[in-house]
């Protein structure tokens, strides 16, 4: 199939359409507004519905309604908008309703700013809504991977009857790269028996509810625990770059991981055994990748575009607290390859004996 030059945000939108998505509800916010702009005309061509809502709250709740009816439904946002969608996401989880939510991240707490960044890791992976829930989180590192992960996100959502979050960022969303887009397929809105739809003449009345609302049902906790265990066992995704003999392992996702790949190439030319472990799923976090690392590893360096190192705790947990974990981050600027290498050399000297300093 021929490739075409396309922006990350547009690749996400087009791939969702090609996966059978025919409903979008969302509100403009930088740096994801061009998803809404793209779908405002492209959805019409395919006979779907694109709604520019009055708020992010309306966006997530319209999504809830469309997804409950069996449609492949999408909403997208960034930073503060994602905060406003939290209650709706927890309702989707509690109701076992599949849907896809994309967060094109930027920087900062509160309103933050429109600069590119990775400021939402904690909220994306821990959830800001109420109750016992997690969400599947896919984190692309290129425009091609954005297209690929967006395409499979609806299949994953329906497999587990659960929302899926695509955690991209402003840089990947706005950059243009050559991409091979997936084939077009249609989705049958009446495919699933849990979907709400009008009763046809002569059809028996259906009553639809999920296990959560059957109050006092002792099977629900077991069902929920097993559901998340299945996701954790089967859906861990990652990429390893020269980790076989690496003494320091960089851990980064999204745009930060691309700079880290360059740092690995430069380090190897200098004789430094540096590797990269890139989580593709932020939840479930790829613990299996850490378990497969060899005994030569001395320490990890968490590389993110935020201030506090939001992924550090997950690295410590995935590693079983066996090795030191340090952090290098940027806030106003893109990750710097030279700073990575300087930090790695400092760490090699500090942990030369292989123990914790």
């Amino acid at each position: 199939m021929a490739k075409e030059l396309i922006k990350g945000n547009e690749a996400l939108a087009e791939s969702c359409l090609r996966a059978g998505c025919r409903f979008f509800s969302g509100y403009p916010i930088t740096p994801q507004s061009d998803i809404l702009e793209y779908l405002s005309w492209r959805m019409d061509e395919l006979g779907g519905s694109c709604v520019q809502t009055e708020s992010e709250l309306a966006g997530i709740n319209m999504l809830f309604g469309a997804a409950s009816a069996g449609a492949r439904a999408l909403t997208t946002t960034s930073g503060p908008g994602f905060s406003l969608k939290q209650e709706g996401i927890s309702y989707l989880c509690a109701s076992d309703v599949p849907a896809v939510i994309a967060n094109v991240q930027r920087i900062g707490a509160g309103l933050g700013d429109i600069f590119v960044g990775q400021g939402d890791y904690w909220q994306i992976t821990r959830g800001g809504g109420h109750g016992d829930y997690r969400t599947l989180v896919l984190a692309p590192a290129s425009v091609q991977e954005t297209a690929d992960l967006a395409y499979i996100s609806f299949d994953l959502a329906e497999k587990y009857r659960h929302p899926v979050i695509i955690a991209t960022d402003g840089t990947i969303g706005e950059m243009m790269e050559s991409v091979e887009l997936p084939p077009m397929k249609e989705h049958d809105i009446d495919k699933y028996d849990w979907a709400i739809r009008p009763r046809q003449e002569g059809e028996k009345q259906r009553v639809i509810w999920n296990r959560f609302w059957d109050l006092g049902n002792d099977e629900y906790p077991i069902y929920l625990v097993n559901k998340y265990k299945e996701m954790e066992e089967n859906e861990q995704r990652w990429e390893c770059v020269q980790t076989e003999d690496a003494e320091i392992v960089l851990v980064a996702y999204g745009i930060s991981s691309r700079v880290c790949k360059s740092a690995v190439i430069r380090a190897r030319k200098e004789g430094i055994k540096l590797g990269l472990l890139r989580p593709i799923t932020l939840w479930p976090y790829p613990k299996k990748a850490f378990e497969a690392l060899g005994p030569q590893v001395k320490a990890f360096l968490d590389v993110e575009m935020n201030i506090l190192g939001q992924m550090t705790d997950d690295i410590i947990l995935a590693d079983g607290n066996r090795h030191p974990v340090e952090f290098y981050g940027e806030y106003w600027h893109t990750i710097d390859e030279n700073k990575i290498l300087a930090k790695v050399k400092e760490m090699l000297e500090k942990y030369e004996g292989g123990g914790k300093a």
Side-chain angles (χ1 to χ4, degrees):
M1 187 178 294
K3 290 187 176 184
E4 58 183 277
L5 194 63
I6 190 170
K7 290 172 64 173
N9 283 339
E10 293 176 352
L12 187 151
E14 180 64 30
S15 282
C16 287
L17 293 173
R18 292 178 181 230
C21 174
R22 294 296 179 268
F23 182 86
F24 173 87
S25 54
Y27 188 76
I29 182 172
T30 303
Q32 66 81 52
S33 295
D34 40 7
I35 297 176
L36 171 57
E37 293 168 4
Y38 184 88
L39 291 173
S40 67
W41 61 269
R42 184 74 173 107
M43 188 71 85
D44 282 346
E45 292 184 343
L46 298 174
S49 298
C50 175
V51 184
Q52 179 175 323
T53 59
E54 65 270 28
S55 69
E56 285 87 357
L57 294 174
I60 192 67
N61 285 292
M62 286 186 185
L63 173 93
F64 192 4
S68 296
R72 288 194 157 183
L74 169 72
T75 189
T76 64
T77 189
S78 181
F82 190 69
S83 299
L84 292 169
K85 293 182 185 289
Q86 294 308 303
E87 183 179 48
I89 293 171
S90 73
Y91 269 102
L92 286 164
C93 293
S95 302
D96 291 331
V97 173
V100 175
I101 302 106
N103 181 357
V104 186
Q105 296 179 79
R106 60 195 217 185
I107 65 167
L111 185 60
D113 212 320
I114 62 173
F115 292 106
V116 297
Q118 296 172 313
D120 299 342
Y121 182 90
W122 280 329
Q123 190 176 46
I124 288 170
T125 58
R126 299 302 190 270
H130 49 283
D132 293 314
Y133 79 94
R134 302 295 291 265
T135 51
L136 283 163
V137 183
L138 306 173
S142 67
V143 178
Q144 181 65 67
E145 196 170 41
T146 299
D148 295 341
L149 293 179
Y151 193 69
I152 68 169
S153 60
F154 291 96
D155 291 332
L156 288 172
E158 289 165 7
K159 177 181 178 180
Y160 295 103
R161 283 184 60 181
H162 207 71
V164 172
I165 294 172
I166 302 173
T168 181
D169 56 64
T171 304
I172 292 173
E174 294 300 323
M175 69 166 51
M176 297 186 75
E177 291 184 315
S178 179
V179 174
E180 183 177 316
L181 292 166
M184 186 73 72
K185 63 182 178 183
E186 293 297 328
H187 170 70
D188 181 5
I189 196 171
D190 296 320
K191 181 178 180 179
Y192 298 106
D193 60 6
W194 50 259
I196 298 168
R197 61 176 183 270
R199 184 163 57 131
Q200 303 299 313
E201 185 176 354
E203 185 180 9
K204 292 183 66 175
Q205 182 178 3
R206 296 189 306 142
V207 179
I208 300 171
W209 71 90
N210 90 321
R211 292 174 177 83
F212 177 76
W213 302 112
D214 188 6
L215 298 179
N217 182 353
D218 292 335
E219 293 181 1
Y220 181 71
I222 299 170
Y223 158 77
L224 196 63
V225 167
N226 288 338
K227 179 178 183 177
Y228 286 114
K229 279 184 177 178
E230 184 181 356
M231 291 183 203
E232 285 198 88
E233 178 59 32
N234 298 327
E235 302 304 336
Q236 294 181 35
R237 289 173 166 82
W238 68 87
E239 177 190 13
C240 284
V241 179
Q242 294 192 251
T243 56
E244 296 84 0
D245 64 343
E247 296 179 342
I248 302 295
V249 177
L250 308 176
V251 185
Y253 72 96
I255 191 61
S256 299
S257 69
R258 295 180 62 148
V259 183
C260 287
K261 283 186 178 181
S262 296
V264 169
I265 293 170
R266 275 191 56 186
R268 291 285 170 166
K269 288 179 179 178
E270 295 182 27
I272 299 171
K273 293 180 179 179
L274 182 64
L276 167 66
L277 195 163
R278 177 174 73 93
I280 298 174
T281 49
L282 302 185
W283 196 88
Y285 202 71
K287 297 176 183 178
K288 295 177 183 179
F290 288 83
E291 292 167 358
L293 294 174
Q296 80 287 342
V297 174
K298 291 182 170 66
F300 296 97
L301 178 60
D302 174 18
V303 182
E304 301 177 72
M305 289 181 66
N306 55 51
I307 298 173
L308 298 180
Q310 297 183 24
M311 189 168 59
T312 300
D313 288 344
D314 279 340
I315 297 170
I316 293 170
L317 290 169
D319 179 55
N321 202 25
R322 293 175 298 162
H323 302 91
V325 180
E326 298 200 16
F327 170 66
Y328 157 58
E330 293 284 355
Y331 191 64
W332 300 112
H333 308 287
T334 305
I335 296 299
D336 189 315
E337 182 180 317
N338 295 314
K339 291 182 180 179
I340 291 175
L341 289 175
K343 182 71 175 177
V344 166
K345 291 174 183 177
E346 174 190 308
M347 291 173 67
L348 280 170
E349 186 175 342
K350 184 190 297 187
Y351 304 118
E352 188 59 39
K356 295 185 178 182

